[in-house]
Amino acid sequence: MSSSAAAKGKAPVNGAAAEIPYELPWVEKYRPNVLDDVVGNVDTIERLKVIAKDGNCPHIIISGMPGIGKTTSIHCLAHQLLGDAYKEGVLELNASDERGIDVVRNKIKAFAQKKVTLPPGRHKIVILDEADSMTPGAQQALRRTMEIFSNTTRFCLACNMSNKIIEPIQSRCAILRYAKLRDTEILKRLLEICEMEKVEYNDDGLTALIFTSEGDMRQAINNLQSTFSGFGFVSGDNVFKVCDQPHPIIIQAIIRACVKSNIEGAMKKLSELWGQGYSAVDIVVTLFRVVKTFDELPEYTKLEYIKEIGFTHMRILEGVGTLIQLGGLIARLCKMNMAPELFQI
Ligand SMILES: Nc1ncnc2c1ncn2[C@@H]1O[C@H](COP(=O)(O)OP(=O)(O)O)[C@@H](O)[C@H]1O
Ligand SMILES: [Mg+2]
């Protein structure tokens, strides 16, 4: 068990290093090394696997939300394409590196011109992680380089929003869009990690991890590790303490009170949350997420509630994040289930 974990991660395993109670972040330790281990986005990953097998790699852009495996997939792809030649055959530049026009002109050009022995039919790979943070100027400088050296060098870009990449580069690349990961996909990976790290958990805890991560695997794994190292047990309560989010149970109670038009009950719970120091945004965001998945509400009520919550969220983001704002929301939610006659004077 421990050997497989050690083989996957790069944790020090032998000698003195093993005695130091130093723990690698699990996101790094369990970063997949082959495309087969990357979960979710099945169709897109299948396509990458075919590319990895055939070796005919086009320029690619992978776009999508944070923490869903973009960087990981590109690394896996490069490893599978180049094997032992990875070290010489790959140039990686991410947002923390200098990537102005000069770097693109000099560093990338020098790399593209370099002679490297690669497996037959393979190309050198330039990885530009978080490419949307490159200035348009630097991207312009890139576009010609991409063209001139395309017979020896291929570019793999990862970004959050593909529209931040200039059109001419987009048209030279195959664009792969990654969707948020599904709950089952995150659950599968979390269970694997729990097994390997011997984490004790209950179902409530896993549900909470999935609820708080919103399809972001990095966040799910980080929260798992924080909860486990903080409390030693992954339960719903512990996860919400670590993530510092209002507990959905309390939010559910507020909604139930609203459905029954019990304004006092709902306001009491709301003030409780407010008293614990949660901001208006925290509360309204959790309200939305809970209502979205709350089975007790009839479809019609759900839609109306989401509409009101949405408007309140907007006002809060405009700057009015007060208790009164939230109180107003609660009042409107309560009113929705009251007979209209009550409001006639
Ligand atoms: N699809 C996935 N399958 C398995 N692990 C994943 C996946 N997506 C993210 N992870 C985990 O989250 C971490 C961050 O993923 P990364 O690829 O860097 O995300 P990003 O999409 O932001 O580049 C990885 O180290 C890995 O542990
Ligand atoms: Mg990344």
Side-chain angles (χ1 to χ4, degrees):
M1 181 64 59
S2 67
S3 70
S4 84
K8 275 194 149 185
K10 293 162 204 122
V13 278
N14 47 21
E19 284 156 28
I20 303 170
Y22 162 76
E23 210 176 358
L24 214 59
W26 289 352
V27 274
E28 291 310 326
K29 192 164 166 189
Y30 297 104
R31 191 186 276 278
N33 287 326
V34 286
L35 284 170
D36 275 327
D37 287 348
V38 180
V39 299
N41 292 299
V42 182
D43 295 338
T44 328
I45 303 229
E46 277 307 317
R47 212 166 134 200
L48 288 180
K49 280 189 207 157
V50 173
I51 294 175
K53 198 155 85 5
D54 298 349
N56 190 12
C57 180
H59 298 308
I60 52 178
I61 296 179
I62 300 187
S63 75
M65 309 282 293
I68 53 178
K70 300 183 299 295
T71 309
T72 311
S73 317
I74 291 188
H75 281 149
C76 292
L77 178 68
H79 270 290
Q80 275 168 263
L81 279 172
L82 300 183
D84 293 338
Y86 181 89
K87 237 178 140 188
E88 300 97 69
V90 172
L91 173 70
E92 188 191 352
L93 296 172
N94 61 33
S96 52
D97 298 311
E98 175 62 53
R99 286 194 301 199
I101 299 182
D102 292 343
V103 173
V104 172
R105 288 228 181 90
N106 304 329
K107 210 164 167 182
I108 297 186
K109 221 169 174 178
F111 173 78
Q113 287 169 335
K114 195 171 77 171
K115 277 258 173 300
V116 181
T117 349
L118 297 175
R122 301 292 148 96
H123 304 90
K124 281 177 285 181
I125 295 176
V126 177
I127 299 177
L128 293 169
D129 207 353
E130 339 238 328
D132 39 6
S133 68
M134 289 173 76
T135 59
Q139 293 187 29
Q140 294 288 1
L142 191 64
R143 102 194 218 195
R144 190 82 187 110
T145 320
M146 268 171 115
E147 219 154 58
I148 299 173
F149 299 104
S150 65
N151 53 344
T152 57
T153 308
R154 296 294 150 88
F155 288 75
C156 297
L157 284 70
C159 61
N160 292 133
M161 276 177 291
S162 64
N163 59 4
K164 293 257 181 73
I165 308 284
I166 57 169
E167 290 279 341
I169 292 189
Q170 286 192 38
S171 81
R172 287 173 174 78
C173 297
I175 302 184
L176 307 176
R177 291 205 168 76
Y178 275 22
K180 274 188 181 178
L181 298 177
R182 293 206 193 91
D183 292 355
T184 45
E185 292 158 351
I186 295 194
L187 178 66
K188 179 166 161 265
R189 190 75 183 151
L190 287 180
L191 285 173
E192 283 169 13
I193 295 180
C194 285
E195 164 117 349
M196 286 188 273
E197 290 289 334
K198 305 212 167 28
V199 175
E200 287 182 34
Y201 59 88
N202 59 18
D203 289 352
D204 220 22
L206 293 180
T207 314
L209 284 172
I210 291 169
F211 181 86
T212 48
S213 67
E214 282 183 282
D216 177 341
M217 180 80 87
R218 181 189 287 121
Q219 181 144 31
I221 299 177
N222 273 332
N223 290 345
L224 173 69
Q225 187 175 17
S226 317
T227 312
F228 181 62
S229 58
F231 295 94
F233 184 77
V234 180
S235 68
D237 286 344
N238 291 347
V239 171
F240 286 107
K241 269 185 218 155
V242 164
C243 303
D244 204 17
Q245 284 191 11
H247 202 301
I249 301 271
I250 303 183
I251 299 279
Q252 281 180 0
I254 295 183
I255 295 167
R256 275 198 203 100
C258 289
V259 173
K260 291 193 200 111
S261 306
N262 171 5
I263 182 95
E264 280 94 10
M267 279 308 289
K268 194 162 149 267
K269 289 258 184 280
L270 176 66
S271 318
E272 223 173 81
L273 281 181
W274 190 261
Q276 287 166 8
Y278 293 112
S279 74
V281 176
D282 289 340
I283 295 174
V284 88
V285 167
T286 319
L287 255 172
F288 167 68
R289 275 197 248 152
V290 170
V291 168
K292 199 174 65 175
T293 53
F294 200 31
D295 298 332
E296 289 173 32
L297 293 180
E299 189 74 7
Y300 173 77
T301 318
K302 212 185 243 185
L303 293 174
E304 290 296 313
Y305 275 25
I306 289 179
K307 191 167 88 187
E308 281 303 335
I309 293 171
F311 280 126
T312 309
H313 194 172
M314 189 177 76
R315 288 183 208 112
I316 290 173
L317 291 181
E318 278 169 0
V320 198
T322 55
L323 184 58
I324 297 182
Q325 183 75 261
L326 292 170
L329 170 65
I330 298 291
R332 283 192 297 278
L333 297 186
C334 285
K335 189 176 166 186
M336 253 174 233
N337 290 294
M338 291 167 83
E341 297 86 72
L342 290 174
F343 298 97
Q344 280 168 9
I345 335 166

